[in-house]
Amino acid sequence: MSQSRGSGQTAAPAAPGDTTRERILAAAMEEFARHGIAGARVDRIAKLAKTSKERVYAYFRSKDALYAAVAAREYVVIAEATQIDPTDLPGYAGRLFDYFVARPDHHRLITWGRLELPGTAAGADDPTHAAITRKIDLLRQVQQAGQLDSAWDPADVLALVNQIATTWASQPELSEAATAHAMDPTTAARRAAVVTAVERLFPRAR
């Protein structure tokens, strides 16, 4: 899921308490979420971060490298905020739903990378790769313990749960339609549908 493009584009090491780098990353998060990668402007990022364009490039050697740093950090934040419990996948889906309802700009950030930097491979030391591997290993362990149907490949389980949980975040036009036409137009109803769908596929361990 990482969007980094390989050698030569990594960020410069951050010094302890480096607030300039943090301001750049925060500004870049906003810029990339709003405009995508191609449409983002480094000069706007620098202005929002109250620094110079040259300083941005001193930390990040290209715009793609800056996006990769922002996206990698966001994936770690998501993993920490949602905390997968492999014995309660409906609960995990509900937490993912809640995260992106509260932060639709974060979902846009990730989506831009998938659209504009397709086919980029994550290295073994990439935090996103490590988080995905850890989740798959946890799912495999509960399968071995008899708490999750072992007929499923754990990689498929993770992909399907993630997809269901982000159904509404990835289809804002359907969210608008649901607000106007669903029998229950509330966000709570959409969340309940997500949790129920995952529960029927992957019931909580008893």
Side-chain angles (χ1 to χ4, degrees):
M1 293 173 69
S2 172
Q3 309 300 335
S4 55
R5 277 187 169 175
S7 62
Q9 295 191 9
T10 56
D18 190 341
T19 58
T20 302
R21 186 177 188 275
E22 288 303 309
R23 290 200 311 272
I24 291 169
L25 287 168
M29 168 75 199
E30 183 175 329
E31 178 74 6
F32 286 128
R34 182 175 299 174
H35 300 287
I37 302 168
R41 296 276 299 277
V42 174
D43 55 348
R44 284 197 299 252
I45 292 170
K47 183 176 180 180
L48 185 60
K50 295 182 172 58
T51 189
S52 67
K53 187 174 179 178
E54 292 72 24
R55 192 66 175 160
V56 173
Y57 282 122
Y59 285 99
F60 305 96
R61 298 177 185 175
S62 70
K63 189 166 62 170
D64 283 3
L66 177 53
Y67 174 83
V70 171
R73 189 164 76 161
E74 174 59 14
Y75 280 118
V76 172
V77 169
I78 293 170
E80 291 177 350
T82 58
Q83 288 295 326
I84 188 170
D85 177 353
T87 66
D88 181 12
L89 293 176
Y92 170 62
R95 288 189 292 278
L96 278 175
F97 176 92
D98 292 339
Y99 185 88
F100 288 118
V101 164
R103 302 166 183 83
D105 55 328
H106 291 216
H107 189 271
R108 290 197 302 272
L109 172 84
I110 293 168
T111 301
W112 280 119
R114 291 170 176 161
L115 290 172
E116 296 190 49
L117 299 177
T120 53
D125 59 345
D126 182 271
T128 306
H129 176 89
I132 293 171
T133 300
R134 183 183 68 84
K135 290 177 182 179
I136 291 173
D137 286 343
L138 287 172
L139 291 168
R140 186 175 288 112
Q141 289 170 25
V142 297
Q143 285 179 321
Q144 292 168 351
Q147 296 176 299
L148 179 65
D149 187 351
S150 60
W152 291 93
D153 189 303
D156 291 329
V157 174
L158 182 60
L160 288 167
V161 172
N162 285 348
Q163 190 66 37
I164 293 169
T166 58
T167 294
W168 297 102
S170 62
Q171 301 181 88
E173 70 284 358
L174 285 183
S175 293
E176 293 177 8
T179 300
H181 303 293
M183 290 184 290
D184 183 342
T186 64
T187 299
R190 306 287 76 73
R191 186 187 195 278
V194 163
V195 172
T196 299
V198 175
E199 173 73 32
R200 290 185 181 179
L201 275 174
F202 309 113
R204 293 176 176 87
R206 303 299 180 187

